[in-house]
Amino acid sequence: MKHVLYSWLLMLMLTTGVAFAQDGRQRIESARIAYITNRLNLTTEQAPQFWAVYNEYNGRKQELNRRLRQLSGDPTRPGLTESNALADLKEINSTKQKIADLDDEYMSRFLKVISPQQLRELYSSEREFNKMLLNRLGSPRQ
C-alpha cells in the first residue's frame, strides 16, 4: 500500500511539474504574441493572416535552430573524429543557409499581409523580446 501511495505522489508531482512548465511556455508565447501584435500595430484584418504565416515560419525556423544547437554541441565530445567534425561544420553551414533561404521564402509571404516597415519591425521586435526574456530569466527572482 505504501508503494502505491508513493507512486501516486510521484506521478502527481511529475504531472504538476509538466503542467507548470507548459503553463510557463504558454505564458511566454502569449506575451510574445501580445508584444509583436502591439509593436507591429496589426489591424484586425492583418492579424489572423499574419499569425497564420508567422506560426508556420516560426515553427520551421525553430526546427532549424534546434538542429544548429545540436550540431554546435560539445566540440570536445568523446569519439569526435576529424571527419565527423568536418561533417558537422558542413551541416552547420548548410543549416544556416536553410535559415537564410527560409527568411527569403517567407519575406514574400509576409509582405502579402504586412508592409515592409512592419516586417522590419517584426525582426526587431523578435530580437528585443528574446533579449528581454533572456534578461528576465537570468535575473534573480524578487
Side-chain angles (χ1 to χ4, degrees), residues 23-79:
D23 182 52
R25 280 192 290 270
Q26 203 126 30
R27 288 189 323 165
I28 291 170
E29 196 54 35
S30 295
R32 177 188 311 278
I33 290 168
Y35 187 79
I36 290 173
T37 299
N38 184 45
R39 289 288 303 268
L40 297 185
N41 199 22
L42 294 172
T43 67
T44 54
E45 295 81 27
Q46 287 176 315
Q49 295 172 323
F50 169 79
W51 287 110
V53 174
Y54 181 83
N55 289 335
E56 185 179 311
Y57 163 77
N58 195 44
R60 290 179 61 188
K61 192 166 185 174
Q62 283 180 356
E63 287 175 22
L64 292 169
N65 282 325
R66 192 172 306 121
R67 183 63 185 143
L68 270 180
R69 284 190 303 277
Q70 289 171 346
L71 291 166
S72 301
D74 184 9
T76 61
R77 68 183 181 264

Side-chain angles (χ1 to χ4, degrees), residues 2 16 20 26-27 29 38 44 49 51 54 61 70 74 77 80 91 96 108 110 113 117 120 126 136:
K2 208 177 207 183
T16 303
F20 281 131
Q26 203 126 30
R27 288 189 323 165
E29 196 54 35
N38 184 45
T44 54
Q49 295 172 323
W51 287 110
Y54 181 83
K61 192 166 185 174
Q70 289 171 346
D74 184 9
R77 68 183 181 264
L80 183 66
E91 191 171 350
K96 287 179 181 178
S108 62
F110 279 125
V113 179
Q117 291 85 358
R120 286 183 60 125
E126 286 180 316
R136 188 163 190 171

Side-chain angles (χ1 to χ4, degrees), residues 118-134:
Q118 286 173 307
L119 185 55
R120 286 183 60 125
E121 185 62 34
L122 169 64
Y123 295 146
S124 174
S125 298
E126 286 180 316
R127 280 190 308 276
E128 288 175 22
F129 183 84
N130 289 336
K131 188 185 294 185
M132 286 184 338
L133 182 62
L134 288 173

Side-chain angles (χ1 to χ4, degrees), residues 2-20:
K2 208 177 207 183
H3 282 114
V4 173
L5 180 60
Y6 285 134
S7 297
W8 186 82
L9 284 173
L10 179 62
M11 289 301 293
L12 180 64
M13 288 185 336
L14 289 174
T15 56
T16 303
V18 169
F20 281 131

